[in-house]
Amino acid sequence: MKTIRQRLAVLTVSLMTTGALGAMAAPAVAAGGSPDASPETGGAQAAAQSCTKATDQESGASAKYEITSGDDTRTYILHLPKNYEQHRNWPLIVAYHGRGSTGTEIEGFSGLSSLPAVVAYPNGEIGTGSGYRQAWQGAPYAPPGVDDVKFTSDLLDQLQSDYCVDPSRTYATGKSNGAGFVNLLACRMADRFAAFAPTSGAFYPQATEGCDSAKPVALLDIHGTGDSTIPYAGDPDRKLPAIRSYVADWAARDKCDPNPSTRRIGTDVTVYDWTNCAAGDVEHVAVTGGGHVWPGTNTYSGGGHVTHTIAAQDVMWRFFSEHRLAAPRGAMS
């Protein structure tokens, strides 16, 4: 496995200085294209690359949809990138909001819809266990009886059937309770996602059930050391692990060297990279003094300090672009 220094050398990372963009963006992706190919123009090449699945949704726009999962009707926001119709195999990112938030809100502050990918923003269920707020499986306040793992599987089946997305380049991210659920997906759905990127994650015991026997996965974790909602040092009263211990557990599952390499970005970001892994990649980005927020955003995403040294969506896009599934479920047509 490459160290982060090797990755940076290969990817030619550039610093972004406007909006919510930050360090570690991956310019290897052509604008409006896919990570492994630049857009083709003209003749047979254009026809071969174009999407053949019809949709009424406009490229560069977002729309709300419903899906039946089990006995429930669930909803999600779907964003199609610019020039969507010109390519047949877009990466797919599924982004899970935090407790009490919505798919619309995480789209608004995350910057994920600016990436050259199809992005789905599912909405959690409301139940008494969540304090009458939308939440996800994997937390003590999750709606009783909710099966968000099945919902995710059903959502992937629908998106891979109806849209021009590549099952081998499907990724999951989320914030807070949504990030905790992303960890649950890493433990249970390693055959559907190529990489996972929890941010400000709430890793309750319910979010780590079955993880001891989980398959190795590529995982990038981002967390602020000044997070007062989900403390970086952990919270024994809520059975929340220390974040460094949580990431080290994934490094152990991936059979990486136990001691990570480290590097600094600016004055407030430290990157920990576990190397020589038997499978998967494990990386942790610690934001010194960072709050319970989405790094790099200019829109409210939670309490505490927001760094602009990096932007979370650019860090995870660089990480996602390095990983794909060898034998994904689902097929392109």
Side-chain angles (χ1 to χ4, degrees), residues 162-219:
D162 295 349
Y163 295 89
C164 293
V165 295
D166 184 350
S168 73
R169 292 183 293 153
T170 297
Y171 310 100
T173 185
K175 179 182 179 288
S176 193
N177 169 222
F181 179 59
V182 166
N183 184 77
L184 189 65
L185 293 177
C187 296
R188 299 190 185 183
M189 294 185 69
D191 61 336
R192 302 299 300 271
F193 292 97
F196 304 85
T199 301
S200 301
F203 304 117
Y204 292 99
Q206 294 91 335
T208 59
E209 291 177 352
C211 289
D212 288 343
S213 58
K215 297 178 181 177
V217 300
L219 185 133

Side-chain angles (χ1 to χ4, degrees), residues 71 84 173 197 210 221 243 323:
D71 296 327
Y84 165 78
T173 185
D221 176 78
I243 298 303
H323 297 91

Side-chain angles (χ1 to χ4, degrees), residues 252-267:
R253 293 184 195 108
D254 284 10
K255 297 179 172 57
C256 308
D257 287 345
N259 298 315
S261 61
T262 63
R263 72 181 301 268
R264 296 278 291 182
I265 301 175
T267 60

Side-chain angles (χ1 to χ4, degrees), residues 314-333:
D314 293 328
V315 175
M316 61 183 63
W317 179 246
R318 183 266 309 158
F319 188 81
F320 289 163
S321 297
E322 296 171 2
H323 297 91
R324 64 174 60 210
L325 287 172
R329 283 177 52 187
M332 292 178 291
S333 61

Side-chain angles (χ1 to χ4, degrees), residues 13-199:
V13 173
S14 62
L15 293 177
M16 309 299 290
T17 59
T18 60
L21 299 181
M24 299 171 66
V29 182
S34 57
D36 61 347
S38 59
E40 301 288 354
T41 57
Q45 287 181 323
Q49 289 293 316
S50 62
C51 178
T52 59
K53 298 179 180 180
T55 176
D56 293 331
Q57 185 174 335
E58 294 183 3
S59 293
S62 299
K64 186 175 183 178
Y65 295 93
E66 292 184 348
I67 179 175
T68 300
S69 180
D71 296 327
D72 298 321
T73 299
R74 304 293 297 268
T75 63
Y76 62 95
I77 307 297
L78 187 69
H79 180 83
L80 300 183
K82 293 180 180 178
N83 302 320
Y84 165 78
E85 67 282 351
Q86 295 180 14
H87 306 284
R88 69 178 182 85
N89 61 337
W90 290 93
L92 171 64
I93 300 172
V94 186
Y96 298 87
H97 62 73
R99 181 189 186 190
S101 186
T102 64
T104 298
E105 287 181 352
I106 191 172
E107 180 180 24
F109 66 68
S110 68
L112 290 166
S113 289
S114 68
L115 300 175
V118 173
V119 188
Y121 303 92
N123 287 302
E125 289 278 70
I126 298 175
T128 56
S130 66
Y132 298 99
R133 292 183 285 173
Q134 291 187 151
W136 297 102
Q137 183 180 357
Y141 46 74
V146 69
D147 190 347
D148 287 320
V149 174
K150 175 174 173 49
F151 168 45
T152 296
S153 180
D154 292 339
L155 178 62
L156 292 183
D157 288 345
Q158 178 168 301
L159 294 177
Q160 291 171 357
S161 173
D162 295 349
Y163 295 89
C164 293
V165 295
D166 184 350
S168 73
R169 292 183 293 153
T170 297
Y171 310 100
T173 185
K175 179 182 179 288
S176 193
N177 169 222
F181 179 59
V182 166
N183 184 77
L184 189 65
L185 293 177
C187 296
R188 299 190 185 183
M189 294 185 69
D191 61 336
R192 302 299 300 271
F193 292 97
F196 304 85
T199 301

Side-chain angles (χ1 to χ4, degrees), residues 275-301:
T275 59
N276 297 322
C277 306
D281 268 318
V282 179
E283 190 172 309
H284 171 54
V285 177
V287 180
T288 303
H292 192 61
V293 297
W294 187 273
T297 187
N298 290 314
T299 304
Y300 181 81
S301 64

